[in-house]
Amino acid sequence: MTKVVADISVSLDGFVTGPGPSLDNGLGTGGEALHRWVFEGDAIDRAVLQETTDATGAVVMGRALFDIVDGPHGWSDEMGYGAGLNAAPPVLVVTSNPPDHVRLGERFSFVVDGVRSAVAKATVLADDRDVVIMGGGAVIRSAIEAGVVDELRLHLSPVLLGAGTPLFDGASPRQLRQIHVRASGHATHLTYRVD
């Protein structure tokens, strides 16, 4: 059965980017430290990444994140969700205004009627595998608020960014149930059940 997982790296002070994210600096000032576990990780980090990628049938992201990954410094055949796999999962982008041109091609579809619709479409495409909502923060908040997330996976990076894009700014109060923790030298990987 398909599980919907919101999955994102976050700083100790709750930011998913550093200050000033842009097309040329997608993670903002200092934000690269959030993903050190992906690029410099140990065996635990590599296992977390591999398990998640292997279980993914479809990905959902927001338009701001899409603009970064489709931009000149974004994803390539060697870097990006599912890079190097024979069949990288399809990506649905939540937006009110689809772009005229997509550098990365047919892998991306644009959903103009909200995150709930994007998750429903991704569930069909996932074929009983996981739907991963990978960000940004606004899409993850919206999906949790819409009640379409089964699990929240946070990769807590040991960095204080001081400012940037907050993950839970304006979120409704909610109780989560912690179901899994793995610590590495680069991150603490936390999984919560969203009831």
Side-chain angles (χ1 to χ4, degrees), residues 56 59 61 75-76 79-85 87-93 102 104-110 125 134:
T56 302
V59 175
M61 71 172 60
W75 289 359
S76 65
M79 187 186 81
Y81 203 103
L85 297 177
V91 179
L92 287 84
V93 180
V102 177
L104 294 172
E106 298 175 6
R107 182 177 176 195
F108 291 84
S109 301
F110 298 90
L125 293 172
M134 65 174 288

Coordinates of all heavy atoms in Angstrom, one line a residue, residues 56 59 61 75-76 79-85 87-93 102 104-110 125 134:
T56 N 10.7 4.7 -3.3 CA 9.9 5.8 -3.9 C 9.4 5.4 -5.2 O 10.1 5.0 -6.1 CB 10.8 7.0 -4.0 OG1 11.3 7.4 -2.7 CG2 10.1 8.2 -4.6
V59 N 7.5 11.4 -6.7 CA 7.9 12.5 -5.9 C 7.0 13.7 -6.1 O 6.6 14.0 -7.3 CB 9.4 12.9 -6.3 CG1 9.9 14.1 -5.5 CG2 10.3 11.7 -6.0
M61 N 6.9 18.0 -5.4 CA 7.7 19.1 -4.9 C 7.0 20.4 -5.3 O 6.0 20.4 -6.1 CB 9.1 19.2 -5.5 CG 9.2 19.5 -7.0 SD 10.8 19.8 -7.6 CE 11.6 18.2 -7.3
W75 N 19.7 19.8 -10.9 CA 19.9 18.3 -11.1 C 20.5 18.0 -12.5 O 20.4 18.8 -13.4 CB 18.6 17.6 -11.0 CG 18.0 17.5 -9.7 CD1 18.5 18.0 -8.5 CD2 16.7 17.0 -9.3 NE1 17.7 17.8 -7.5 CE2 16.6 17.1 -7.9 CE3 15.7 16.3 -10.1 CZ2 15.4 16.6 -7.3 CZ3 14.6 15.8 -9.4 CH2 14.5 16.0 -8.0
S76 N 21.2 16.9 -12.5 CA 21.8 16.4 -13.8 C 21.6 14.8 -13.8 O 21.0 14.3 -12.9 CB 23.2 16.8 -13.8 OG 24.0 16.1 -12.8
M79 N 23.3 13.9 -10.5 CA 22.8 14.4 -9.2 C 21.3 14.7 -9.3 O 20.8 15.3 -10.3 CB 23.5 15.7 -8.8 CG 23.2 16.2 -7.4 SD 23.9 17.7 -7.0 CE 22.8 18.8 -7.9
G80 N 20.6 14.3 -8.3 CA 19.1 14.6 -8.2 C 18.4 13.3 -7.7 O 19.0 12.3 -7.6
Y81 N 17.2 13.4 -7.4 CA 16.4 12.3 -6.9 C 16.4 11.2 -7.8 O 15.8 11.3 -8.9 CB 15.0 12.8 -6.5 CG 14.4 11.9 -5.4 CD1 14.3 12.4 -4.1 CD2 13.9 10.6 -5.7 CE1 13.8 11.6 -3.1 CE2 13.4 9.8 -4.7 CZ 13.3 10.3 -3.4 OH 12.8 9.5 -2.4
G82 N 17.0 10.1 -7.5 CA 17.0 8.9 -8.3 C 18.0 8.9 -9.4 O 18.0 8.1 -10.3
A83 N 19.0 9.9 -9.4 CA 20.0 9.9 -10.4 C 20.8 8.6 -10.4 O 21.1 8.0 -9.4 CB 21.0 11.1 -10.1
G84 N 21.0 8.1 -11.6 CA 21.7 6.9 -11.8 C 20.9 5.7 -11.8 O 21.3 4.6 -12.1
L85 N 19.6 5.8 -11.4 CA 18.7 4.7 -11.5 C 18.2 4.4 -12.9 O 18.2 5.4 -13.7 CB 17.5 4.9 -10.6 CG 17.7 5.1 -9.1 CD1 16.4 5.4 -8.4 CD2 18.4 3.8 -8.5
A87 N 15.2 3.8 -13.8 CA 14.0 4.5 -14.0 C 13.8 5.4 -12.8 O 13.2 5.0 -11.8 CB 12.8 3.5 -14.1
A88 N 14.2 6.6 -12.9 CA 14.0 7.6 -11.8 C 12.5 7.9 -11.7 O 11.8 7.9 -12.7 CB 14.8 8.8 -12.1
P89 N 12.0 8.1 -10.5 CA 10.6 8.2 -10.3 C 10.1 9.5 -10.9 O 10.8 10.5 -11.0 CB 10.5 8.3 -8.8 CG 11.8 8.7 -8.2 CD 12.8 8.1 -9.2
P90 N 8.8 9.5 -11.3 CA 8.3 10.8 -11.9 C 8.1 11.8 -10.8 O 8.0 11.5 -9.6 CB 6.9 10.3 -12.4 CG 6.6 9.1 -11.6 CD 7.9 8.4 -11.3
V91 N 8.1 13.1 -11.2 CA 8.1 14.2 -10.2 C 6.9 15.1 -10.6 O 6.7 15.5 -11.7 CB 9.3 15.0 -10.2 CG1 9.2 16.2 -9.2 CG2 10.6 14.2 -9.9
L92 N 6.0 15.3 -9.6 CA 4.8 16.2 -9.8 C 5.1 17.5 -9.1 O 5.5 17.5 -7.9 CB 3.6 15.5 -9.3 CG 3.0 14.4 -10.1 CD1 3.7 13.1 -9.8 CD2 1.5 14.3 -10.0
V93 N 5.0 18.6 -9.8 CA 5.3 19.9 -9.2 C 4.0 20.7 -9.0 O 3.2 20.8 -9.9 CB 6.2 20.7 -10.2 CG1 6.5 22.1 -9.7 CG2 7.4 19.9 -10.6
V102 N 11.1 23.3 -19.8 CA 11.7 22.5 -18.7 C 13.0 21.9 -19.2 O 13.0 21.1 -20.2 CB 10.7 21.3 -18.3 CG1 11.3 20.4 -17.3 CG2 9.4 21.9 -17.9
L104 N 14.9 19.7 -17.7 CA 15.1 18.3 -17.3 C 14.1 17.3 -18.0 O 14.2 16.1 -17.8 CB 14.9 18.1 -15.8 CG 16.1 18.8 -15.0 CD1 15.8 18.8 -13.5 CD2 17.4 18.1 -15.3
G105 N 13.2 17.8 -18.8 CA 12.4 17.0 -19.7 C 11.1 16.4 -19.1 O 10.5 16.9 -18.2
E106 N 10.8 15.2 -19.6 CA 9.4 14.6 -19.4 C 9.2 14.0 -18.1 O 8.1 13.6 -17.8 CB 9.2 13.5 -20.5 CG 9.3 14.0 -21.9 CD 9.2 12.9 -22.9 OE1 9.0 11.8 -22.6 OE2 9.3 13.3 -24.1
R107 N 10.2 13.9 -17.3 CA 10.0 13.4 -15.9 C 9.1 14.2 -15.0 O 8.6 13.7 -14.1 CB 11.4 13.2 -15.3 CG 11.5 12.6 -13.9 CD 12.9 12.5 -13.5 NE 12.9 12.0 -12.1 CZ 13.9 12.1 -11.3 NH1 15.0 12.6 -11.7 NH2 13.8 11.6 -10.1
F108 N 9.0 15.5 -15.4 CA 8.2 16.4 -14.5 C 6.8 16.7 -15.1 O 6.7 16.9 -16.3 CB 9.0 17.7 -14.4 CG 10.2 17.6 -13.6 CD1 11.4 17.2 -14.2 CD2 10.2 17.9 -12.3 CE1 12.6 17.0 -13.5 CE2 11.4 17.8 -11.5 CZ 12.6 17.3 -12.1
S109 N 5.8 16.7 -14.2 CA 4.4 17.0 -14.5 C 4.0 18.2 -13.6 O 4.5 18.2 -12.5 CB 3.5 15.9 -14.4 OG 3.9 14.8 -15.2
F110 N 3.1 19.0 -14.1 CA 2.8 20.2 -13.3 C 1.3 20.1 -12.9 O 0.4 19.8 -13.7 CB 3.1 21.5 -14.0 CG 4.5 21.6 -14.3 CD1 5.1 21.0 -15.5 CD2 5.4 22.1 -13.4 CE1 6.4 21.1 -15.7 CE2 6.7 22.2 -13.6 CZ 7.3 21.7 -14.8
L125 N 0.6 7.0 -9.7 CA 1.8 6.8 -10.4 C 2.8 5.9 -9.6 O 3.6 5.2 -10.2 CB 2.5 8.1 -10.7 CG 1.8 9.0 -11.8 CD1 2.6 10.4 -11.8 CD2 1.8 8.3 -13.1
M134 N 9.2 16.0 -1.2 CA 10.6 16.4 -0.8 C 10.8 17.9 -0.5 O 11.9 18.3 -0.2 CB 11.6 15.9 -1.9 CG 11.4 16.6 -3.2 SD 12.7 16.1 -4.4 CE 14.1 17.0 -3.7

